[in-house]
Amino acid sequence: MIHHAGRTIETARLILRPHVLQDFPAFAAMWMDPNVTTYIGGVPSTREIAWGRLHRYAGHWALLGFGYWAVFEKATGSFVGDVGFGDFMREMEPSLDNKPELGWVFATHAQGRGFATEAITAAIAWKHQHYAGATISAIVDPANAASLRVAEKCGFQRVAETTYNGSPIVIFERAHSH
């Protein structure tokens, strides 16, 4: 039995909880959708890559005590996306070391409904309750207008423009005080 005590979050419209194996079909379908990955590497995931990502998410919880949540719409029970914190040891400048990286991705059918802002706000509150102090980082493709708006709406400030894996990105940070 997987224990999620203290790791499940409920908002007005959403339930966030760590991923379980049964989430894989919907999770993989989302990551294999080219509309979802347009600004996340630009290439749809294979089942193998999605499987590795699911393991990486579980590994964050197991090794670091934080990670990504599977996000479900309360009204329908359907999987709508992922949101959470990672430490991906990205080789980039400026470094994101010691700044938990918040990321989010939502299925095509769930985009444009305010779910990202709602889930991110809840995730930030959880982080501050369990891991006070650290500045939170996020990276966004500069062409992803929707995610740029979400980051700013959630209190992130642009701090740098750089490249990661040869593609331009905007680095955002959010201090605890917001």
Side-chain angles (χ1 to χ4, degrees):
M1 180 68 185
I2 297 174
H3 185 61
H4 295 301
R7 295 182 176 175
T8 298
I9 301 169
E10 196 168 322
T11 70
R13 300 182 297 156
L14 304 171
I15 294 173
L16 290 67
R17 63 149 173 78
H19 296 78
V20 296
L21 284 176
Q22 292 79 3
D23 298 331
F24 184 67
F27 176 87
M30 177 183 72
W31 282 102
M32 293 167 77
D33 179 349
N35 295 316
V36 169
T37 58
T38 298
Y39 302 113
I40 307 172
V43 178
S45 293
T46 61
R47 284 183 74 245
E48 178 182 358
I49 290 170
W51 183 242
R53 184 184 303 271
L54 186 70
H55 282 79
R56 186 168 56 212
Y57 288 175
H60 270 82
W61 285 109
L63 298 175
L64 301 174
F66 60 83
Y68 272 68
W69 290 272
V71 182
F72 296 87
E73 183 180 14
K74 277 186 191 177
T76 64
S78 67
F79 173 80
V80 294
D82 299 327
V83 67
F85 298 98
D87 181 354
F88 299 113
M89 302 276 177
R90 294 187 195 276
E91 294 188 16
M92 56 182 278
E93 289 298 327
S95 170
L96 302 181
D97 290 354
N98 302 312
K99 295 175 187 167
E101 181 183 336
L102 178 68
W104 58 91
V105 57
F106 285 83
T108 301
H109 69 87
Q111 293 175 6
R113 298 173 61 190
F115 289 161
T117 301
E118 187 172 332
I120 290 166
T121 301
I124 290 168
W126 181 93
K127 185 246 174 232
H128 288 325
Q129 182 181 356
H130 292 85
Y131 297 94
T135 295
I136 301 168
S137 64
I139 63 173
V140 179
D141 182 315
N144 188 344
S147 278
L148 293 171
R149 280 193 307 275
V150 167
E152 290 166 354
K153 196 185 312 184
C154 292
F156 284 87
Q157 306 293 319
R158 289 175 186 243
V159 295
E161 293 186 21
T162 187
T163 59
Y164 176 65
N165 286 342
S167 297
I169 60 162
V170 177
I171 298 176
F172 286 89
E173 289 184 357
R174 186 185 191 284
H176 179 79
S177 60
H178 286 102

